[in-house]
Amino acid sequence: MPLALLALAVGAFGIGTTEFVSMGLLPQVAETFGVSIPLAGWIVTAYAVGVVVGAPTLTALTHSLSRKRVLVGLTGVFVVGHVATALAPTFEALVAARFFTGLAHGAFFGTAAVVARALAPAGKEGRAMSLVFAGLTVANVVGVPLGTWVGQQFGWRVTYGLVGVIGLVTAAAITALVPSVSTSDGPLRAQFAAFRRAQVWLTMLITVIGFGGMFAVVSYVAPLLTEEAGFAESSVSWVLVLFGLGATAGNLLGGRLSDWSVQRTLVMGMSALVVVFAALFAAASSRAGAAAGVFLFAFAAFSMSSAIQTRAIVAAGGGASMASAAMQAAFNTGNAAGAFLGGAVIDAGAGYAATALVAAGLSVLGLGVLAIATRADATGRAPLDPAVAAVPAQRRRTPAVQSPAQSPVQSPVQREDAGA
């Protein structure tokens, strides 16, 4: 795999750290500004909203620029956002700073995913994307636990300041290692044309609902571990290492599974989430049960990251960059919705463990939307791949989606039929 993927992974590491470290720092932020933990969760929601707004907007505004310049510029936004976060004088200013920081997230990952696919050898596009996203998952092994510990020892402002330094390192790495890449995206009108395809919207809905369940739990994982499972506050950062290990292992396996079958990867991953979240609710009062649940739901969720991204790119046809960025917006819409629903059940007095039931329910709904999308593709009502929209439904013998590795024109279904 090209060394340039390492530079993109460094950026993903910084983004992954800032996105997930907030969950572990909510008690400290709440104490600083004298607000409740559910209210402090608005910094998670604000960041997610920033992603939703920034992903399509910045992708459109930077469409005519080289992908390398775009990545460096987005990293600059990331750095400025962290300076503002670390220096925020009020809770309102902190929420605004997190919103601003989130603006770069979706466009960065969307651009990085497309660049990674362009740099990858044929047939290994899923693995290339998984290597980039590995930066995000490794952040949950190293960056998030370390950032949580630093925040507990020296203050949450120091944590965000250090993440800003990671942004500077990312800009240098991209400048040195990432070549100029032609992504063959076509005109901006073609990019927005992706949103006229039903399967793009269905894939985004799968992401919002299915992945939103994870954030209903992970947004409040620190108080869940201390209040429900009985972990000491000082142990939370180490339990979060399990989340990172699960996410990393799931992501790396998911890259290979995506190159095998996108459809089967999504079905297996979403089904596993339903089971794991239900088990976490039942075992939340046990330290071992809670720790195992944190590892397993991270593993199951991140095993689908390359697959769901690939599904969106296939569905978008020529609008790969916009669809890829929109997927980050969808992911963080799920982040915001999950955090809101999790906070709502906590405020209603159901307890932190009840967030796992919310997550299980959302995962079931995600499976339902996936089933609808698969059926629409199989019957020809809403073909997944626009390149084969004219192929009669009876000839599309299987709904299993493969990564478009051999050719940008030949469809996943055509390749699967050819090999049958």
Side-chain angles (χ1 to χ4, degrees):
M1 288 291 183
L3 188 61
L5 297 180
L6 176 62
L8 301 179
V10 172
F13 177 85
I15 291 175
T17 299
T18 198
E19 180 175 22
F20 290 103
V21 79
S22 295
M23 287 73 163
L25 296 177
L26 288 185
Q28 287 73 40
V29 171
E31 182 179 357
T32 297
F33 295 108
V35 299
S36 67
I37 289 178
L39 182 59
W42 275 99
I43 68 171
V44 177
T45 302
Y47 182 91
V49 173
V51 178
V52 173
V53 173
T57 303
L58 295 184
T59 298
L61 290 176
T62 60
H63 177 74
S64 62
L65 303 177
S66 73
R67 299 300 89 189
K68 182 173 182 175
R69 289 180 62 188
V70 170
L71 290 169
V72 173
L74 293 171
T75 304
V77 173
F78 180 86
V79 172
V80 172
H82 279 85
V83 172
T85 297
L87 299 177
T90 65
F91 181 69
E92 292 75 14
L94 176 61
V95 171
R98 296 307 291 162
F99 170 82
F100 179 83
T101 305
L103 292 174
H105 178 127
F108 181 93
F109 268 122
T111 302
V114 173
V115 170
R117 288 178 63 85
L119 294 175
K124 295 185 178 180
E125 289 88 347
R127 272 166 276 191
M129 286 196 296
S130 73
L131 289 176
V132 174
F133 285 111
L136 186 151
T137 59
V138 170
N140 286 285
V141 179
V142 180
V144 174
L146 182 59
T148 301
W149 180 83
V150 169
Q152 291 171 343
Q153 301 300 316
F154 305 103
W156 57 268
R157 297 180 189 274
V158 176
T159 295
Y160 287 118
L162 290 175
V163 176
V165 174
I166 296 174
L168 294 175
V169 174
T170 299
I174 291 173
T175 301
L177 298 176
V178 175
S180 296
V181 175
S182 174
T183 58
S184 302
D185 286 339
L188 186 58
R189 180 180 297 178
Q191 291 290 307
F192 280 106
F195 296 122
R196 295 201 296 266
R197 300 189 177 105
Q199 286 290 349
V200 171
W201 288 101
L202 286 169
T203 304
M204 292 171 63
L205 187 58
I206 293 167
T207 303
V208 171
I209 297 175
F211 286 85
M214 180 180 72
F215 287 100
V217 175
V218 78
S219 298
Y220 304 99
V221 68
L224 185 150
L225 292 172
T226 56
E227 299 296 328
E228 299 284 351
F231 283 98
E233 186 177 276
S234 59
S235 299
V236 170
S237 60
W238 300 110
V239 177
L240 291 179
V241 171
L242 293 176
F243 179 89
L245 290 173
T248 301
N251 175 66
L252 294 176
L253 175 62
R256 293 182 175 274
L257 291 176
S258 176
D259 289 332
W260 164 64
S261 172
V262 169
Q263 174 72 9
R264 296 182 183 96
T265 300
L266 293 175
V267 171
M268 292 188 299
M270 205 70 71
S271 299
L273 280 181
V274 176
V275 175
V276 170
F277 284 131
L280 176 59
F281 172 74
S285 60
S286 162
R287 291 185 183 181
V294 167
F295 174 88
L296 290 172
F297 79 68
F299 179 90
F302 281 89
S303 71
M304 297 184 286
S305 57
S306 294
I308 197 68
Q309 193 80 17
T310 297
R311 193 182 203 282
I313 290 173
V314 171
S321 289
M322 186 61 70
S324 185
M327 282 300 293
Q328 298 305 311
F331 186 81
N332 281 272
T333 299
N335 182 333
F340 172 79
L341 291 173
V345 298
I346 294 169
D347 282 340
Y352 292 105
T355 58
L357 283 183
V358 173
L362 289 173
S363 298
V364 170
L365 291 176
L367 266 175
V369 178
L370 177 59
I372 292 170
T374 303
R375 179 65 178 168
D377 176 40
T379 59
R381 294 197 309 273
L384 175 62
D385 189 342
V388 291
V391 176
Q394 61 267 29
R395 291 180 54 194
R396 304 210 272 126
R397 293 160 43 187
T398 172
V401 183
Q402 302 292 338
S403 173
Q406 288 86 348
S407 166
V409 176
Q410 187 183 31
S411 79
V413 179
Q414 286 174 321
R415 287 199 300 275
E416 204 164 274
D417 283 350

